[in-house]
Amino acid sequence: MTKLVFGNQKMYINKEEVLGIVEMLKTIENRDNIVMFPSYPFLEYYKDVVRFGSQDVSAYLKGAYTGEVSVSQIKSLGASCSIVGHSECRKNHNETIETLRNKITLLLENDITPVFCIGESLEEYEKNTTLEVIYNQISSVFDGLNNLDNVIIAYEPVWAIGTGKTPTNEEIDSTIGNIKNYVKDKYGVNDIVLYGGSVSPKNIEELNKIDNVDGYLIGGSSSIKDELKYIIEKCI
Ligand code: PGA
């Protein structure tokens, strides 16, 4: 059983630690299922080792956008993916639906795979509105877009990110199964769907039992060399 391992290193580590992780990855024989998302300055360190991408991307193609990084810039470094709509970006950068749509459109036009993040808040989970919330997150961005079969979806309950909490296996299986049916029925696509939120060496074997999960978007543990190695070995 192979699961995809996507490592979102957020703003956790510096050059030396990134290089340590790169060296660890080189010791793994089959690296086809690994994609790393470091901070922008470290993107190229993963070149020729594993596939890599950015944690976010500009909604504009080129121009006077101080501090932003464009699709063509990440592409020129060899990136093949970009995360879009991570809950931290949605919140910290006040991302609008229009922004997310622009980012996904630019990525698809440039043959870069968007890893589109969706997920409910704790309040929405407790009110039992998870599916309603995530269907709305998907349709508000996907309606009217093309080539959606090149999008990867990451289901990340906001309340599970960085908290050590996760939904039960049954809940993850059912939610991801519903996401797959929704995008198949509505857009005719078979998207890959990842689970993200507190994936760690402690729960990876349990999570691996969920058939509907194609892989993981891993935050904290992807910046800790030994934890990442352990997870990868369980997912090969
Ligand atoms: P976490 O983060 O694994 O630290 O919970 C996941 C993510 O934000 O992608």
Side-chain angles (χ1 to χ4, degrees), residues 114-185:
V115 180
F116 178 52
C117 299
I118 54 172
E120 80 286 0
S121 66
L122 183 59
E123 199 190 338
E124 290 159 344
Y125 170 77
E126 283 172 346
K127 280 199 294 194
N128 235 332
T129 55
T130 297
L131 287 181
E132 193 182 318
V133 168
I134 59 184
Y135 291 164
N136 184 44
Q137 288 173 334
I138 295 171
S139 62
S140 60
V141 171
F142 278 19
D143 281 4
L145 299 187
N146 299 316
N147 298 325
L148 290 167
D149 40 6
N150 294 330
V151 178
I152 292 175
I153 295 174
Y155 168 56
E156 300 203 300
V158 178
W159 55 273
I161 295 176
T163 58
K165 294 185 196 141
T166 59
T168 63
N169 275 17
E170 292 68 32
E171 286 172 321
I172 295 172
D173 194 39
S174 150
T175 304
I176 291 191
N178 278 304
I179 293 170
K180 289 185 174 184
N181 289 336
Y182 184 76
V183 297
K184 173 99 192 126
D185 292 349

Side-chain angles (χ1 to χ4, degrees), residues 8 10 12 86 88 156 160-163 196-199 217-220:
N8 172 14
K10 308 198 181 187
Y12 282 131
H86 189 282
E88 287 151 15
E156 300 203 300
I161 295 176
T163 58
S198 294
V199 177
L217 184 55
I218 303 158

Side-chain angles (χ1 to χ4, degrees), residues 216-231:
Y216 307 100
L217 184 55
I218 303 158
S221 284
S222 74
S223 287
I224 301 169
K225 188 171 63 180
D226 294 343
E227 295 197 7
L228 180 61
K229 185 166 193 273
Y230 184 93
I231 292 171

